[in-house]
Amino acid sequence: MKRLSTRRQFIRTGAAVLAAPALLSATRAYAATPTFKVGHVSPRTGPLAGFAEADDYILKAITQKFGAGVENNGKAWNIEVISKDSQSNPNRAAEVASELILSDEVDIIVAASTPDTVNPVADQAEINEVPCITTDCPWQPYFFGRGGNPGEGFESTYHFFWGLEDVIGVFLAMWGSAGVGKNVGGLFPNDADGNAWGDAELGLPKPLAAAGYSLTDPGRYQPMSDDFTNQIAAFKDAGCEIVTGNMIPPDFGTFWAQAAQQGFNPKIVTIGKALLFPSVIEGLGDRGIGLSSEVWWSPAHPFASSLTGTSAADLANGYTAETGRAWTQPIGFKHALFEVVADVVARSEDLEDPAANIAAIAGTNIQSIVGPINWANGPVKNVTKTPLVAGQWQKQGDGIDLKIVTNETAPDIPLTGELMLLS
């Protein structure tokens, strides 16, 4: 007998049993072309909306691709994608995930964009035994932030992205090539990302110390803070020539404006999350030029989609041609989520059995537009890693571009520029 998920037991038992004979003709098991429902959660609005900027472009293309159906065991299946906005709020993310699972009855749920969206969605999926695939969040905040045990892992929820060890490695490689002082100021918010990045055991402090860097960490600040005076004073007192951390765009904008006002001028500023998006850099004007960040995906990445055959460059250029906006890193990972979905739909032994779909996720082994995705590779159960490099925002013609300036940890991704110190 197939294992049914908790939510399906709830829906199909009790009073519903009385109506079962009348409903049989309407179930998808008897439909000429059955439908497989995919739930999608993303921060379309709120301070994390930059991560979802390309959602409409990706969802339009994916819907068109899925329009012809996907074959499973010799039978064509319709693929329906139901997308909901987390509003950049963890509570809302959990709420819409629950709606997708219990009301929309999705067969699989996907989510992206920081622990604020990924973790609550994955938790809802795990509770309800619904297959779930997530990305756009370092694996440690995803795994340990959800109480994950490396020896056990999770049952229904799987994640692909890089880890803190990778971002630390690319930051150190970039800074080491610059010849600047090794005093680093750390900006870590009191949220899942910030607490992971600043964690004394699993975050930046130990690797930085091992590499000879001195980290000044003034402590956690509250997201959407309007005053970074204490942090700036601590960095100035310590002679910090490098500033790093993980911030949302509004917080970095406040910090960077106050740094100028208070005469703090580091030579390198490498911030995760906030500096990923061209719109943020453009909003900073000339003070955005020379800022640096991790690079998870770019038009220069030598990968192509397993679903459409589209190259990274073509996907990015297509986005710009259709929207008039510069490419942005989440484009590739949003596309890759649906590459995995399509692969799972094609390989599952029984698309009406959640256990079979979970097994198909665990057995994924594809070359995607963001690189290899294969959960057999670890580093822990339910997690697989994608390659990471580092980049710097530089002028290009009348605009700006994120140049890849360090590829030591992923040499197959080509360099597109050289690191320049902030003036």
Side-chain angles (χ1 to χ4, degrees):
M1 179 179 293
K2 297 176 183 177
R3 182 184 61 82
L4 294 176
S5 67
T6 302
R7 51 103 183 202
R8 292 185 179 182
Q9 288 175 337
F10 172 80
I11 291 168
R12 296 179 181 179
T13 56
V17 173
L18 299 176
L23 292 174
L24 284 178
S25 60
T27 64
R28 66 180 180 190
Y30 291 83
T33 306
T35 297
F36 187 85
K37 292 184 178 182
V38 182
H40 171 254
V41 182
S42 185
R44 304 291 289 269
T45 57
L48 300 175
F51 283 90
E53 180 183 317
D55 277 12
D56 288 341
Y57 171 72
I58 293 298
L59 290 173
K60 177 183 175 182
I62 290 299
T63 299
Q64 291 174 346
K65 180 64 179 177
F66 285 162
V70 175
E71 184 175 307
N72 173 272
N73 292 321
K75 186 172 185 177
W77 282 70
N78 291 325
I79 308 296
E80 178 185 357
V81 180
I82 305 170
S83 183
K84 299 201 176 187
D85 179 13
S86 72
Q87 301 175 2
S88 302
N89 183 298
N91 293 329
R92 178 62 180 169
E95 181 181 335
V96 297
S98 180
E99 289 175 2
L100 287 166
I101 293 167
L102 298 176
S103 298
D104 297 302
E105 294 190 65
V106 297
D107 298 285
I108 194 169
I109 191 165
V110 299
S113 310
T114 85
D116 288 340
T117 300
V118 166
N119 286 14
V121 171
D123 284 344
Q124 288 297 311
E126 188 74 12
I127 291 170
N128 288 283
E129 302 175 6
V130 174
C132 178
I133 306 162
T134 53
T135 191
D136 286 13
C137 165
W139 73 261
Q140 287 92 341
Y142 162 85
F143 190 84
F144 295 113
R146 298 176 55 220
N149 182 330
E152 298 176 3
F154 300 102
E155 178 66 28
S156 307
T157 51
Y158 288 77
H159 187 75
F160 64 96
F161 208 54
W162 42 266
L164 296 181
E165 69 279 16
D166 303 302
V167 77
I168 292 167
V170 299
F171 284 4
L172 289 174
M174 180 168 59
W175 301 342
S177 68
V180 301
K182 291 193 170 185
N183 290 331
V184 180
L187 290 165
F188 307 116
N190 185 23
D191 61 18
D193 259 342
N195 290 328
W197 283 56
D199 186 87
E201 295 298 320
L202 300 174
L204 272 67
K206 277 190 172 181
L208 262 59
Y213 288 84
S214 175
L215 177 65
T216 298
D217 180 359
R220 306 295 162 265
Y221 69 86
Q222 291 304 311
M224 300 301 292
S225 176
D226 60 2
D227 187 4
F228 288 89
T229 299
N230 291 338
Q231 289 86 349
I232 292 168
F235 298 163
K236 290 173 72 174
D237 288 345
C240 294
E241 295 190 350
I242 301 171
V243 173
T244 194
N246 184 280
M247 312 176 78
I248 59 175
D251 286 345
F252 179 78
T254 301
F255 162 77
W256 199 222
Q258 292 177 357
Q261 294 164 2
Q262 297 172 33
F264 175 53
N265 299 296
K267 295 180 179 178
I268 298 177
V269 175
T270 308
I271 300 290
K273 190 186 295 185
L275 304 183
L276 297 172
F277 310 112
S279 58
V280 173
I281 304 302
E282 290 165 355
L284 295 172
D286 288 342
R287 281 182 58 77
I289 304 301
L291 299 175
S292 50
S293 181
E294 76 276 13
V295 180
W296 352 314
W297 184 84
S298 79
H301 278 53
F303 308 126
S305 168
S306 62
L307 179 59
T308 66
T310 303
S311 69
D314 286 344
L315 185 65
N317 292 337
Y319 173 75
T320 298
E322 182 163 319
T323 65
R325 297 194 292 267
W327 65 272
T328 181
Q329 294 194 47
I331 295 174
F333 279 83
K334 293 297 179 69
H335 180 91
L337 277 174
F338 294 101
E339 288 186 67
V340 179
V341 169
D343 182 63
V344 167
V345 170
R347 289 186 298 102
S348 176
E349 292 185 359
D350 184 349
L351 286 176
E352 294 190 272
D353 183 4
N357 297 332
I358 291 168
I361 295 173
T364 299
N365 182 10
I366 62 173
Q367 297 294 320
S368 79
I369 204 160
V370 300
I373 299 177
N374 182 350
W375 275 282
N377 293 336
V380 294
K381 185 182 176 183
N382 307 97
V383 170
T384 188
K385 296 204 299 182
T386 52
L388 188 68
V389 291
Q392 183 180 46
W393 291 99
Q394 299 179 2
K395 288 185 177 180
Q396 180 169 294
D398 295 331
I400 56 171
D401 191 38
L402 182 59
K403 302 294 186 182
I404 297 173
V405 297
T406 300
N407 67 348
E408 191 174 298
T409 57
D412 55 329
I413 299 171
L415 297 175
T416 59
E418 295 182 3
L419 180 69
M420 301 183 298
L421 298 182
L422 294 170
S423 59

